[in-house]
Coordinates of all heavy atoms in Angstrom, one line a residue:
I6 N 4.6 -4.1 -3.7 CA 4.8 -2.7 -4.2 C 6.3 -2.4 -4.0 O 6.9 -1.8 -4.9 CB 3.9 -1.7 -3.5 CG1 2.4 -2.0 -3.9 CG2 4.2 -0.3 -3.8 CD1 1.4 -1.2 -3.0
H7 N 6.8 -2.7 -2.8 CA 8.2 -2.3 -2.5 C 9.1 -3.0 -3.5 O 10.0 -2.4 -4.1 CB 8.5 -2.7 -1.1 CG 10.0 -2.5 -0.7 ND1 10.5 -1.2 -0.6 CD2 11.0 -3.3 -0.6 CE1 11.8 -1.3 -0.3 NE2 12.1 -2.6 -0.3
R8 N 8.9 -4.3 -3.7 CA 9.8 -5.0 -4.6 C 9.7 -4.5 -6.0 O 10.8 -4.3 -6.7 CB 9.4 -6.5 -4.6 CG 10.4 -7.4 -5.3 CD 10.1 -8.9 -5.2 NE 10.2 -9.3 -3.8 CZ 9.5 -10.3 -3.3 NH1 8.7 -11.0 -4.0 NH2 9.6 -10.6 -2.0
L9 N 8.6 -4.2 -6.5 CA 8.4 -3.7 -7.9 C 9.1 -2.4 -8.1 O 9.9 -2.2 -9.0 CB 6.9 -3.6 -8.2 CG 6.6 -3.0 -9.6 CD1 7.1 -3.8 -10.7 CD2 5.1 -2.7 -9.7
F10 N 8.9 -1.5 -7.2 CA 9.5 -0.2 -7.3 C 11.0 -0.2 -7.0 O 11.7 0.6 -7.6 CB 8.8 0.9 -6.4 CG 7.5 1.4 -7.0 CD1 6.3 0.7 -7.0 CD2 7.6 2.7 -7.6 CE1 5.2 1.2 -7.6 CE2 6.4 3.2 -8.3 CZ 5.2 2.5 -8.3
S11 N 11.4 -1.1 -6.2 CA 12.9 -1.3 -6.0 C 13.5 -1.6 -7.3 O 14.6 -1.2 -7.6 CB 13.2 -2.3 -5.0 OG 12.8 -1.9 -3.7
R12 N 12.9 -2.5 -8.1 CA 13.4 -2.9 -9.4 C 13.5 -1.7 -10.3 O 14.3 -1.7 -11.3 CB 12.6 -4.0 -10.0 CG 12.8 -5.3 -9.3 CD 11.9 -6.4 -9.9 NE 12.1 -7.6 -9.1 CZ 11.3 -8.6 -9.2 NH1 10.2 -8.6 -10.0 NH2 11.5 -9.7 -8.5
L13 N 12.7 -0.7 -10.1 CA 12.7 0.5 -10.9 C 13.6 1.6 -10.4 O 13.6 2.7 -10.9 CB 11.2 1.0 -11.1 CG 10.3 0.1 -11.8 CD1 8.8 0.6 -11.6 CD2 10.7 -0.2 -13.2
G14 N 14.3 1.3 -9.3 CA 15.2 2.2 -8.7 C 14.6 3.1 -7.6 O 15.2 4.1 -7.2
V15 N 13.4 2.8 -7.2 CA 12.8 3.6 -6.1 C 12.8 2.7 -4.8 O 11.9 1.8 -4.7 CB 11.3 4.0 -6.5 CG1 10.7 4.8 -5.4 CG2 11.3 4.7 -7.8
S16 N 13.7 3.0 -4.0 CA 13.9 2.2 -2.8 C 13.0 2.6 -1.6 O 12.7 1.8 -0.7 CB 15.3 2.2 -2.3 OG 15.7 3.5 -2.0
N17 N 12.4 3.8 -1.7 CA 11.6 4.3 -0.6 C 10.2 4.6 -1.0 O 9.7 5.7 -0.7 CB 12.3 5.6 0.0 CG 12.5 6.7 -1.0 OD1 12.4 6.4 -2.2 ND2 12.7 7.9 -0.6
V18 N 9.6 3.7 -1.8 CA 8.3 4.0 -2.3 C 7.2 4.3 -1.3 O 6.4 5.2 -1.4 CB 7.8 2.9 -3.3 CG1 7.6 1.6 -2.6 CG2 6.6 3.3 -4.0
H19 N 7.2 3.6 -0.2 CA 6.2 3.8 0.9 C 6.4 5.2 1.5 O 5.4 5.9 1.7 CB 6.3 2.8 2.0 CG 5.7 1.5 1.5 ND1 6.4 0.3 1.7 CD2 4.5 1.2 0.9 CE1 5.6 -0.7 1.2 NE2 4.5 -0.2 0.7
D20 N 7.6 5.7 1.7 CA 7.8 7.0 2.2 C 7.4 8.1 1.3 O 6.8 9.1 1.7 CB 9.3 7.2 2.6 CG 9.8 6.3 3.7 OD1 9.0 5.8 4.5 OD2 11.0 6.0 3.7
R21 N 7.7 7.9 0.0 CA 7.3 8.9 -1.0 C 5.8 8.9 -1.2 O 5.2 10.0 -1.3 CB 8.0 8.6 -2.4 CG 9.5 8.8 -2.3 CD 10.2 8.5 -3.5 NE 9.8 9.3 -4.6 CZ 10.4 9.2 -5.8 NH1 11.3 8.3 -6.1 NH2 10.0 10.0 -6.8
V22 N 5.1 7.8 -1.2 CA 3.7 7.8 -1.3 C 3.0 8.4 0.0 O 2.1 9.2 -0.1 CB 3.1 6.4 -1.5 CG1 1.6 6.3 -1.4 CG2 3.6 5.9 -2.9
A23 N 3.6 8.1 1.1 CA 3.1 8.6 2.4 C 3.2 10.2 2.4 O 2.3 10.9 2.9 CB 3.8 8.0 3.6
A24 N 4.3 10.7 1.8 CA 4.5 12.1 1.8 C 3.4 12.8 0.8 O 3.0 13.9 1.1 CB 5.9 12.4 1.3
I25 N 3.1 12.1 -0.2 CA 2.1 12.6 -1.2 C 0.7 12.6 -0.5 O -0.1 13.6 -0.6 CB 2.1 11.8 -2.5 CG1 3.4 12.0 -3.2 CG2 0.8 12.2 -3.3 CD1 3.6 11.1 -4.4
L26 N 0.4 11.5 0.2 CA -1.0 11.3 0.7 C -1.1 11.9 2.1 O -2.3 12.0 2.6 CB -1.3 9.8 0.8 CG -1.4 9.1 -0.6 CD1 -1.7 7.6 -0.4 CD2 -2.5 9.7 -1.4
H27 N 0.0 12.1 2.8 CA 0.0 12.6 4.2 C -0.8 11.6 5.1 O -1.6 11.9 5.9 CB -0.7 14.0 4.3 CG -0.1 15.0 3.5 ND1 1.2 15.5 3.7 CD2 -0.6 15.6 2.3 CE1 1.4 16.4 2.8 NE2 0.4 16.5 1.9
R28 N -0.5 10.3 4.8 CA -1.1 9.2 5.5 C -0.1 8.0 5.6 O 0.8 7.9 4.9 CB -2.3 8.6 4.8 CG -3.4 9.7 4.7 CD -4.7 9.1 4.2 NE -5.1 8.0 5.1 CZ -6.1 7.2 4.8 NH1 -6.8 7.4 3.7 NH2 -6.5 6.3 5.6
D29 N -0.4 7.1 6.5 CA 0.4 5.9 6.7 C 0.0 4.9 5.6 O -1.2 4.4 5.7 CB 0.3 5.3 8.1 CG 1.1 4.1 8.3 OD1 2.0 3.8 7.5 OD2 0.9 3.4 9.3
V30 N 0.8 4.6 4.7 CA 0.5 3.7 3.6 C 0.2 2.3 4.0 O -0.7 1.6 3.6 CB 1.6 3.8 2.5 CG1 1.3 2.8 1.3 CG2 1.7 5.2 1.9
E31 N 1.1 1.8 4.9 CA 0.9 0.5 5.4 C -0.4 0.2 6.1 O -1.1 -0.8 5.9 CB 2.0 0.1 6.4 CG 3.4 0.0 5.8 CD 3.6 -1.1 4.8 OE1 2.9 -2.2 5.0 OE2 4.3 -0.9 3.8
T32 N -0.9 1.2 6.8 CA -2.2 1.1 7.5 C -3.3 1.1 6.5 O -4.3 0.3 6.6 CB -2.4 2.3 8.5 OG1 -1.3 2.2 9.4 CG2 -3.7 2.2 9.2
M33 N -3.2 1.9 5.4 CA -4.2 1.9 4.4 C -4.3 0.5 3.7 O -5.4 0.0 3.5 CB -3.8 2.9 3.3 CG -4.2 4.3 3.5 SD -3.6 5.4 2.2 CE -4.6 4.8 0.8
I34 N -3.2 0.0 3.3 CA -3.1 -1.3 2.6 C -3.6 -2.4 3.5 O -4.4 -3.3 3.1 CB -1.7 -1.6 2.1 CG1 -1.3 -0.6 1.0 CG2 -1.6 -3.0 1.6 CD1 0.1 -0.6 0.6
E35 N -3.2 -2.4 4.8 CA -3.6 -3.5 5.7 C -5.1 -3.4 6.0 O -5.8 -4.4 6.1 CB -2.9 -3.4 7.0 CG -1.4 -3.8 6.9 CD -0.6 -3.6 8.2 OE1 -1.3 -3.3 9.3 OE2 0.6 -3.6 8.2
G36 N -5.7 -2.2 6.1 CA -7.1 -2.0 6.3 C -7.9 -2.6 5.1 O -8.9 -3.3 5.3
F37 N -7.5 -2.3 3.9 CA -8.1 -2.8 2.7 C -8.0 -4.3 2.6 O -9.0 -5.0 2.4 CB -7.5 -2.1 1.5 CG -8.1 -2.6 0.2 CD1 -9.4 -2.1 -0.2 CD2 -7.5 -3.5 -0.6 CE1 -10.0 -2.5 -1.4 CE2 -8.1 -4.0 -1.8 CZ -9.3 -3.4 -2.2
Q38 N -6.8 -4.8 2.9 CA -6.6 -6.3 2.8 C -7.4 -7.0 3.9 O -7.9 -8.1 3.6 CB -5.2 -6.6 2.9 CG -4.4 -6.3 1.7 CD -2.9 -6.6 1.9 OE1 -2.4 -6.6 3.0 NE2 -2.2 -6.9 0.7
S39 N -7.6 -6.5 5.0 CA -8.3 -7.2 6.1 C -9.8 -7.3 5.7 O -10.4 -8.3 5.9 CB -8.1 -6.5 7.4 OG -8.7 -5.2 7.4
V40 N -10.4 -6.2 5.2 CA -11.8 -6.3 4.7 C -11.9 -7.3 3.6 O -12.8 -8.1 3.5 CB -12.3 -4.9 4.3 CG1 -13.6 -5.0 3.6 CG2 -12.4 -4.0 5.5
R41 N -11.0 -7.2 2.6 CA -11.1 -8.1 1.5 C -11.0 -9.6 1.9 O -11.7 -10.4 1.5 CB -9.9 -7.8 0.5 CG -10.0 -8.6 -0.8 CD -8.7 -9.2 -1.3 NE -8.0 -10.1 -0.5 CZ -8.2 -11.4 -0.4 NH1 -9.1 -12.0 -1.2 NH2 -7.4 -12.1 0.4
T42 N -10.0 -9.9 2.8 CA -9.9 -11.2 3.3 C -11.1 -11.7 4.1 O -11.6 -12.8 3.9 CB -8.6 -11.3 4.3 OG1 -7.5 -10.9 3.5 CG2 -8.4 -12.7 4.8
A43 N -11.7 -10.9 4.9 CA -12.9 -11.2 5.6 C -14.0 -11.5 4.7 O -14.8 -12.5 4.9 CB -13.3 -10.1 6.6
L44 N -14.2 -10.7 3.7 CA -15.3 -11.0 2.7 C -15.0 -12.2 1.9 O -15.9 -13.0 1.6 CB -15.4 -9.8 1.7 CG -16.0 -8.5 2.4 CD1 -15.8 -7.3 1.4 CD2 -17.4 -8.7 2.8
A45 N -13.8 -12.5 1.5 CA -13.4 -13.6 0.7 C -13.5 -15.0 1.4 O -13.7 -16.0 0.8 CB -12.0 -13.4 0.1
H46 N -13.4 -14.9 2.7 CA -13.3 -16.2 3.5 C -14.5 -16.4 4.4 O -14.4 -16.9 5.5 CB -12.0 -16.3 4.3 CG -10.8 -16.3 3.4 ND1 -10.5 -17.4 2.7 CD2 -9.9 -15.4 3.1 CE1 -9.4 -17.2 2.0 NE2 -9.0 -15.9 2.2
S47 N -15.7 -15.9 3.9 CA -16.9 -16.2 4.6 C -17.0 -15.7 6.0 O -17.8 -16.3 6.8 CB -17.3 -17.7 4.5 OG -17.3 -18.1 3.2
A48 N -16.3 -14.7 6.4 CA -16.4 -14.1 7.7 C -16.7 -12.6 7.5 O -15.9 -11.8 8.0 CB -15.2 -14.4 8.5
P49 N -17.7 -12.2 6.8 CA -17.9 -10.8 6.5 C -18.1 -10.0 7.7 O -18.9 -10.3 8.5 CB -19.1 -10.8 5.5 CG -19.8 -12.1 5.8 CD -18.8 -13.1 6.3
P50 N -17.4 -8.9 7.8 CA -17.6 -7.9 8.8 C -18.9 -7.1 8.5 O -19.4 -7.2 7.4 CB -16.4 -7.0 8.8 CG -16.0 -7.1 7.3 CD -16.3 -8.5 6.9
I51 N -19.3 -6.5 9.5 CA -20.5 -5.6 9.3 C -19.9 -4.4 8.6 O -19.1 -3.6 9.1 CB -21.2 -5.2 10.6 CG1 -21.7 -6.4 11.2 CG2 -22.2 -4.1 10.3 CD1 -22.4 -6.2 12.6
I52 N -20.3 -4.2 7.3 CA -19.7 -3.2 6.5 C -20.8 -2.5 5.7 O -21.7 -3.2 5.2 CB -18.6 -3.8 5.5 CG1 -17.9 -2.7 4.8 CG2 -19.2 -4.8 4.6 CD1 -16.6 -3.2 4.1
T53 N -20.8 -1.2 5.6 CA -21.8 -0.5 4.8 C -21.3 -0.1 3.5 O -20.1 -0.2 3.2 CB -22.2 0.8 5.6 OG1 -21.1 1.7 5.6 CG2 -22.6 0.5 7.0
I54 N -22.2 0.4 2.6 CA -21.8 0.8 1.3 C -20.8 2.0 1.4 O -19.9 2.2 0.6 CB -23.0 1.2 0.4 CG1 -22.6 1.4 -1.0 CG2 -23.7 2.4 0.9 CD1 -22.1 0.1 -1.7
K55 N -21.0 2.8 2.5 CA -20.1 3.9 2.7 C -18.7 3.4 3.0 O -17.7 4.0 2.5 CB -20.6 4.8 3.8 CG -19.7 6.0 4.1 CD -20.2 6.8 5.3 CE -19.3 8.0 5.6 NZ -17.9 7.9 5.5
D56 N -18.6 2.4 3.8 CA -17.3 1.8 4.1 C -16.6 1.3 2.8 O -15.4 1.5 2.6 CB -17.4 0.6 5.1 CG -18.0 1.0 6.4 OD1 -17.7 2.1 6.9 OD2 -18.6 0.2 7.1
V57 N -17.4 0.6 2.0 CA -16.8 0.2 0.7 C -16.3 1.3 -0.1 O -15.2 1.3 -0.7 CB -17.9 -0.7 -0.1 CG1 -17.4 -1.0 -1.5 CG2 -18.2 -1.9 0.7
R58 N -17.2 2.4 -0.3 CA -16.8 3.5 -1.0 C -15.5 4.2 -0.5 O -14.7 4.6 -1.2 CB -17.9 4.5 -1.1 CG -19.0 4.1 -2.0 CD -20.1 5.1 -2.1 NE -21.1 4.6 -3.1 CZ -22.4 4.8 -2.9 NH1 -22.9 5.3 -1.8 NH2 -23.3 4.3 -3.8
D59 N -15.5 4.3 0.9 CA -14.3 4.9 1.5 C -13.0 4.1 1.2 O -12.0 4.6 0.9 CB -14.5 5.0 3.0 CG -15.5 6.0 3.4 OD1 -15.9 6.9 2.6 OD2 -15.9 6.0 4.6
R60 N -13.1 2.7 1.3 CA -11.9 1.9 1.0 C -11.5 2.0 -0.4 O -10.3 2.1 -0.7 CB -12.2 0.4 1.4 CG -12.5 0.1 2.8 CD -11.3 0.3 3.8 NE -11.3 1.7 4.3 CZ -12.1 2.2 5.2 NH1 -13.1 1.6 5.7 NH2 -11.9 3.5 5.6
L61 N -12.5 2.0 -1.3 CA -12.2 2.1 -2.8 C -11.6 3.5 -3.1 O -10.6 3.6 -3.9 CB -13.4 1.9 -3.6 CG -13.9 0.4 -3.6 CD1 -15.2 0.3 -4.4 CD2 -12.8 -0.5 -4.2
S62 N -12.1 4.5 -2.4 CA -11.5 5.9 -2.6 C -10.1 5.9 -2.1 O -9.2 6.5 -2.8 CB -12.4 6.9 -1.9 OG -11.8 8.2 -2.0
E63 N -9.8 5.3 -1.0 CA -8.4 5.3 -0.5 C -7.5 4.5 -1.4 O -6.4 5.0 -1.7 CB -8.4 4.5 0.9 CG -9.0 5.3 2.0 CD -9.0 4.6 3.3 OE1 -8.6 3.4 3.3 OE2 -9.4 5.1 4.3
M64 N -8.0 3.4 -2.0 CA -7.2 2.7 -3.0 C -6.9 3.5 -4.3 O -5.8 3.4 -4.8 CB -7.8 1.3 -3.3 CG -7.7 0.3 -2.1 SD -6.1 0.0 -1.5 CE -6.0 1.0 0.0
A65 N -7.9 4.2 -4.7 CA -7.8 5.1 -5.9 C -6.7 6.2 -5.6 O -5.9 6.5 -6.4 CB -9.1 5.7 -6.3
D66 N -6.7 6.7 -4.4 CA -5.7 7.7 -4.0 C -4.3 7.1 -4.0 O -3.4 7.7 -4.4 CB -6.0 8.3 -2.6 CG -7.3 9.2 -2.5 OD1 -7.7 9.6 -3.6 OD2 -7.8 9.4 -1.4
L67 N -4.3 5.9 -3.5 CA -3.0 5.2 -3.4 C -2.4 4.9 -4.8 O -1.3 5.2 -5.1 CB -3.1 3.8 -2.7 CG -1.9 2.9 -2.7 CD1 -0.8 3.6 -1.9 CD2 -2.3 1.6 -2.1
V68 N -3.3 4.5 -5.7 CA -2.9 4.3 -7.1 C -2.4 5.6 -7.8 O -1.4 5.6 -8.5 CB -4.0 3.6 -7.9 CG1 -3.7 3.6 -9.4 CG2 -4.2 2.2 -7.4
R69 N -3.1 6.7 -7.5 CA -2.7 8.0 -8.1 C -1.3 8.4 -7.5 O -0.5 8.9 -8.3 CB -3.7 9.0 -7.8 CG -4.9 9.0 -8.8 CD -5.8 10.2 -8.6 NE -6.6 10.2 -7.4 CZ -7.7 9.5 -7.2 NH1 -8.2 8.9 -8.2 NH2 -8.4 9.6 -6.1
A70 N -1.1 8.1 -6.2 CA 0.2 8.5 -5.6 C 1.3 7.6 -6.2 O 2.4 8.1 -6.5 CB 0.1 8.4 -4.1
L71 N 1.0 6.3 -6.4 CA 2.0 5.4 -7.0 C 2.3 5.9 -8.4 O 3.5 5.8 -8.8 CB 1.5 4.0 -7.0 CG 1.5 3.3 -5.6 CD1 0.7 2.0 -5.7 CD2 2.9 3.0 -5.1
D72 N 1.3 6.3 -9.1 CA 1.5 6.8 -10.5 C 2.4 8.0 -10.5 O 3.3 8.2 -11.4 CB 0.2 7.1 -11.1 CG 0.3 7.6 -12.6 OD1 0.8 6.8 -13.4 OD2 0.0 8.7 -12.9
R73 N 2.2 8.9 -9.5 CA 3.1 10.1 -9.4 C 4.5 9.7 -9.2 O 5.5 10.3 -9.8 CB 2.6 11.0 -8.3 CG 1.4 11.8 -8.8 CD 0.9 12.8 -7.7 NE 1.9 13.7 -7.2 CZ 1.7 14.6 -6.2 NH1 0.6 14.5 -5.5 NH2 2.6 15.4 -5.9
V74 N 4.7 8.8 -8.3 CA 6.1 8.3 -8.0 C 6.7 7.7 -9.2 O 7.9 8.0 -9.6 CB 6.1 7.3 -6.8 CG1 7.5 6.7 -6.6 CG2 5.7 8.0 -5.5
L75 N 6.0 6.8 -9.9 CA 6.5 6.2 -11.1 C 6.8 7.3 -12.2 O 7.9 7.2 -12.8 CB 5.5 5.2 -11.6 CG 5.9 4.5 -12.9 CD1 7.3 3.7 -12.7 CD2 4.8 3.5 -13.4
Y76 N 5.9 8.2 -12.4 CA 6.1 9.2 -13.4 C 7.4 10.0 -13.1 O 8.2 10.3 -14.0 CB 4.9 10.2 -13.4 CG 5.1 11.3 -14.4 CD1 4.9 11.2 -15.7 CD2 5.4 12.6 -13.9 CE1 5.0 12.2 -16.6 CE2 5.5 13.7 -14.7 CZ 5.4 13.5 -16.1 OH 5.5 14.5 -17.0
S77 N 7.6 10.4 -11.8 CA 8.8 11.2 -11.4 C 10.0 10.4 -11.7 O 11.0 10.9 -12.2 CB 8.7 11.5 -9.9 OG 7.7 12.4 -9.7
Q78 N 10.0 9.1 -11.4 CA 11.2 8.2 -11.7 C 11.5 8.1 -13.2 O 12.6 8.2 -13.6 CB 11.0 6.9 -11.0 CG 12.1 5.9 -11.1 CD 13.3 6.4 -10.1 OE1 13.2 7.3 -9.4 NE2 14.3 5.6 -10.2
V79 N 10.4 7.9 -14.0 CA 10.6 7.8 -15.4 C 11.2 9.1 -16.0 O 12.1 9.1 -16.8 CB 9.3 7.3 -16.1 CG1 9.4 7.5 -17.6 CG2 9.0 5.9 -15.7
M80 N 10.6 10.2 -15.6 CA 11.0 11.5 -16.1 C 12.5 11.8 -15.7 O 13.2 12.4 -16.4 CB 10.1 12.6 -15.6 CG 8.7 12.5 -16.2 SD 8.7 12.6 -18.0 CE 9.1 14.3 -18.3
K81 N 12.8 11.4 -14.5 CA 14.2 11.6 -14.0 C 15.2 10.9 -14.8 O 16.3 11.4 -15.0 CB 14.2 11.2 -12.5 CG 15.6 11.4 -11.8 CD 15.5 11.0 -10.4 CE 16.8 11.0 -9.7 NZ 16.7 10.5 -8.3
H82 N 14.9 9.7 -15.2 CA 15.9 8.8 -15.8 C 15.7 8.6 -17.3 O 16.7 8.2 -18.0 CB 15.9 7.4 -15.1 CG 16.4 7.5 -13.7 ND1 17.7 7.7 -13.4 CD2 15.7 7.5 -12.6 CE1 17.9 7.7 -12.1 NE2 16.7 7.6 -11.6
G83 N 14.6 8.9 -17.8 CA 14.4 8.7 -19.3 C 13.7 9.8 -20.0 O 13.8 9.8 -21.3
G84 N 13.1 10.7 -19.3 CA 12.4 11.8 -20.0 C 11.1 11.4 -20.5 O 10.6 10.3 -20.4
L85 N 10.5 12.4 -21.2 CA 9.1 12.3 -21.7 C 8.9 11.2 -22.7 O 7.9 10.5 -22.8 CB 8.7 13.6 -22.2 CG 7.2 13.8 -22.6 CD1 6.3 13.5 -21.4 CD2 6.9 15.1 -23.2
V86 N 10.0 10.9 -23.5 CA 9.9 9.9 -24.6 C 9.6 8.5 -24.0 O 8.9 7.7 -24.6 CB 11.1 9.9 -25.5 CG1 12.3 9.4 -24.7 CG2 10.9 9.1 -26.7
C87 N 10.1 8.3 -22.8 CA 9.8 7.0 -22.1 C 8.4 6.9 -21.6 O 7.9 5.8 -21.4 CB 10.8 6.8 -21.0 SG 12.5 6.6 -21.5
W88 N 7.8 8.0 -21.3 CA 6.5 7.9 -20.6 C 5.4 7.7 -21.7 O 4.4 7.1 -21.4 CB 6.2 9.2 -19.9 CG 5.0 9.2 -19.0 CD1 3.8 9.8 -19.2 CD2 4.8 8.4 -17.8 NE1 2.9 9.5 -18.3 CE2 3.5 8.6 -17.4 CE3 5.6 7.5 -17.1 CZ2 3.0 8.0 -16.3 CZ3 5.1 6.9 -16.0 CH2 3.8 7.2 -15.5
K89 N 5.6 8.2 -22.9 CA 4.5 8.1 -23.9 C 4.4 6.7 -24.5 O 5.1 5.9 -24.8 CB 4.7 9.1 -25.0 CG 4.4 10.5 -24.4 CD 4.4 11.5 -25.5 CE 4.1 12.9 -24.9 NZ 3.9 13.9 -25.8

């Protein structure tokens, strides 16, 4: 994420997303990845459907925040014509 947004001129993407979400982005991503890795490598943790829904909801929030950061960057440098 950092590398992609850096190429778009956003060097502090994690800080900007954290400000939108009021959460630690690294912790969110690491939590999601650890559950995914455990499920993918035959060491499934005890996880409920609520846990799955919570992680997916967190990732949806993350994607929406990334979209806001990207939209702001595009509008700042290219305007509405670039977004459509």
